[in-house]
Amino acid sequence: MFELRSFLFGSVILQMSFVTDSPIHSSSSDDFAALLDAELEVGSSGSSPDEQDDEDEEADVDANNNDDDDDDNDDDLDSRRNKRCRTEKLEDLEEPEGSTSQGLIEEKIEVSLKEDICTHPGSFGQMCILCGQRLDDESGVTFGYIHKGLRLGNDEIIRLRSTDMKNLLRHKKLYLVLDLDHTLLNSTQLMHLTPEEEYLKGQSDSLHDVSKGSLFMLDFMHMMTKLRPFVHAFLKEASEMFEMYIYTMGDRPYALEMAKLLDPKREYFSGRVISRDDGTQKHQKGLDVVLGQESAVVILDDTENAWMKHKDNLILMERYHFFALSCHQFGYNCKSLSQLKNDESESDGALASVLKVLRQIHHIFFDELDSNLASRDVRQVLKTVRKEVLKGCKIVFSRVFPTKFQADSHLLWKMAEHLGASCSTETDSSVTHVVSTDSGTEKSRWAVKEKKLLVHPRWIEAANFLWQKQPEENFPVSQAKNQ
């Protein structure tokens, strides 16, 4: 039974990503558990199929023994003679210890044993998923969100990613890793609601059919959560282009509850919900726990520093601050959307805007690139699309950076260049935009005189978040106080 259980662990886990042609169920912990339980139930029924076949054959032989006694006696006699002859021939071939033949035999046995040694593709509760051997080595990566105690070796991860990638590309899909807080939703503890936000308690939606609501009071968690406008439509359309993961720095219970609000029918994420408990580095997120090749992964997150190793995969999201606590935590001295009794636009908000970008990335990756499909890299597509946003703009900054600060190392300078603009410290006729917070500076006055575009730094930030050049008139520079 132990060997059967070990084999089943191996067979179930190796199949968990490819139960069907559809990649949608590739990492479902429920599918894994169901398969495992079903297989173990069959295996514990008393005897294996092979053993049962042997017993049936023995029963058939016993039933015919009375009729074939004479034949059996003759067969037994012939069998004993043949066996004796083979033994005598082997004895004749034996050579002294240390002979060449002996060495060759031992070498063949050694090679055969090596071929039978298990490579231990992964473990489940410190037991090899293939051979059942207890493993003390903790190499590889833990995939606890798929099933508690599951660890896969690096070679097995590569194999699974490669196979899953082929399935995904066949369905014209990529991977999309989604942050929760400030990207898809905003949550707050009930105790942190301000007096201006108390009205929200009377406006929360029913938890019995979350697909029709957006504001939920989770009393058992002492929490209130607001889904970002357009999130349901976003997830539905994005799921047609991507296999999606949730990846949050929140703990696992919180992650699972938020997944229920976003995906009550388990259509989009299935078991692909990763929390901080599943990561391999503190305060960092990494694609090592995602069973998808990095060259096909797009990330949506509001925090760039969480993805230090994967910035080329990242689309930085504008933060969603619905609750007052959220604004306070990030140092914004302003009223939140809930205090203003307002919300983002469904049609022009952050999720609607980024969905357009995702469509563009998906189209370029599958329909415009000339290279072989398997060799394409979504990171290059992201870079290409991003550089089109401010292409043709030449920017000069005026008193935006601290004195004696290296201009080309400033975040805004780098951001503008990533968006396709060229930046300079000097004004000339080729300059198209002057970026400043003060219209009274020398360069700002030059921009007005030369009829160049004078914009606030937020113009660059908005273009970066929305992946689209914004109307300059929406980002005016304030008049100097002495003017």
Side-chain angles (χ1 to χ4, degrees), residues 21-121:
D21 277 343
S22 172
I24 299 301
H25 302 92
S26 67
S27 303
S28 169
S29 58
D30 286 351
D31 290 346
F32 167 73
L35 278 170
L36 183 60
D37 291 341
E39 292 287 347
L40 288 177
E41 185 177 349
V42 171
S44 61
S45 60
S47 61
S48 70
D50 291 338
E51 290 170 342
Q52 187 63 48
D53 290 342
D54 292 340
E55 291 170 5
D56 292 342
E57 290 175 7
E58 289 171 7
D60 292 338
V61 170
D62 291 340
N64 295 319
N65 273 347
N66 293 333
D67 297 329
D68 301 325
D69 283 344
D70 293 336
D71 293 337
D72 287 346
N73 289 333
D74 292 338
D75 291 341
D76 287 344
L77 181 60
D78 291 339
S79 177
R80 285 194 296 270
R81 286 173 177 168
N82 290 333
K83 184 176 180 180
R84 186 169 58 250
C85 290
R86 287 196 300 270
T87 303
E88 289 171 353
K89 288 180 181 179
L90 284 173
E91 289 173 352
D92 292 337
L93 289 172
E94 284 184 357
E95 295 194 23
E97 187 176 350
S99 71
T100 304
S101 297
Q102 180 84 9
L104 288 172
I105 292 171
E106 289 176 353
E107 185 178 336
K108 288 181 180 179
I109 291 173
E110 186 178 350
V111 170
S112 177
L113 288 174
K114 285 182 179 179
E115 289 176 350
D116 291 338
I117 292 176
C118 180
T119 58
H120 307 315

Side-chain angles (χ1 to χ4, degrees), residues 384-394 416-422 432-433 459 469:
T384 300
V385 174
R386 185 183 281 119
K387 279 191 170 294
E388 290 294 316
V389 176
L390 294 182
K391 185 179 179 180
C393 298
K394 184 173 181 179
E417 287 187 331
H418 287 158
L419 294 171
S422 59
T432 59
H433 295 75
W459 176 74
K469 184 180 175 184

